[in-house]
Amino acid sequence: GDLDGAEALYREALEAMRETLGDRHPRTLSSINNLGNLLNAKGDLDGAEPLLREALAAQRETLGDTHPDTLTSISNLGTLLQAKGDLDGAEPLLREALAAQRETLGDTHPDTLTSISNLGLLLKEKGDLDGAEALYREALEAMRETLGDRHPRTLSSINNLGNLLNAKGDLDG
């Protein structure tokens, strides 16, 4: 896609929303998050971080800690910090998002399953292969039950677990 063109449009929309709706309006917060995610996708992690932090702080204040938009923002910031190599900063955010999603959405909701996988990826990166394996197995089992054996997300979970077992030297699985 045209990420530079999208960035210009996101910036234009955000500026107009701040002027007309204010900094704490849900649409403004969504626009802040969109721009942060786009910058993340473009590899501008340092540009994305303050936007994602701003959106999250305002969503916590206006929507509460367990609103779905807030939980998405918590996950977004956690995965950004992970991409920046701040694994210790990312972990509490990913754990918070997962715990709240389990409580509010249930263990098999697609967003919860994504958070389980994201935390598994982080734990693998931190070297906690046993912790990552438990999460990968949980995500895979739930995805098989809810999405089926051949769904792309299920296949991705199979691949994640296979890569982890390979890294552990457990070639029998």
Side-chain angles (χ1 to χ4, degrees):
D2 180 6
L3 298 183
D4 291 333
E7 180 180 348
L9 293 171
Y10 277 157
R11 288 188 184 281
E12 178 183 351
L14 176 56
E15 182 180 336
M17 286 184 195
R18 285 188 192 274
E19 288 174 10
T20 58
L21 302 174
D23 289 336
R24 297 293 188 251
H25 190 280
R27 287 189 183 150
T28 304
L29 299 178
S30 178
S31 188
I32 293 168
N33 218 2
N34 288 343
L35 179 57
N37 287 329
L38 177 72
L39 294 177
N40 185 8
K42 287 180 67 175
D44 182 4
L45 306 183
D46 290 332
E49 185 175 349
L51 291 166
L52 295 181
R53 286 189 183 280
E54 177 187 359
L56 176 56
Q59 286 168 327
R60 285 188 191 275
E61 184 181 303
T62 60
L63 302 174
D65 289 335
T66 59
H67 188 279
D69 290 347
T70 306
L71 297 178
T72 298
S73 290
I74 293 168
S75 293
N76 288 345
L77 181 58
T79 56
L80 174 81
L81 293 177
Q82 181 178 356
K84 289 182 76 172
D86 182 4
L87 305 184
D88 291 334
E91 185 172 355
L93 291 168
L94 295 180
R95 287 189 182 280
E96 177 186 0
L98 176 56
Q101 286 167 332
R102 285 187 192 278
E103 186 176 312
T104 60
L105 303 173
D107 289 334
T108 59
H109 187 280
D111 290 349
T112 306
L113 297 177
T114 296
S115 288
I116 292 168
S117 295
N118 287 346
L119 183 57
L121 287 169
L122 176 82
L123 294 181
K124 180 182 178 198
E125 197 171 340
K126 289 184 79 170
D128 180 2
L129 301 185
D130 291 336
E133 181 179 348
L135 291 169
Y136 283 166
R137 287 189 184 280
E138 177 186 357
L140 177 56
E141 180 181 333
M143 286 184 193
R144 284 189 192 276
E145 289 175 13
T146 60
L147 302 174
D149 288 337
R150 295 293 175 245
H151 189 279
R153 292 185 62 199
T154 305
L155 298 174
S156 179
S157 283
I158 292 168
N159 193 54
N160 286 345
L161 181 58
N163 286 337
L164 177 77
L165 295 176
N166 185 34
K168 288 179 73 174
D170 181 0
L171 303 182
D172 296 325

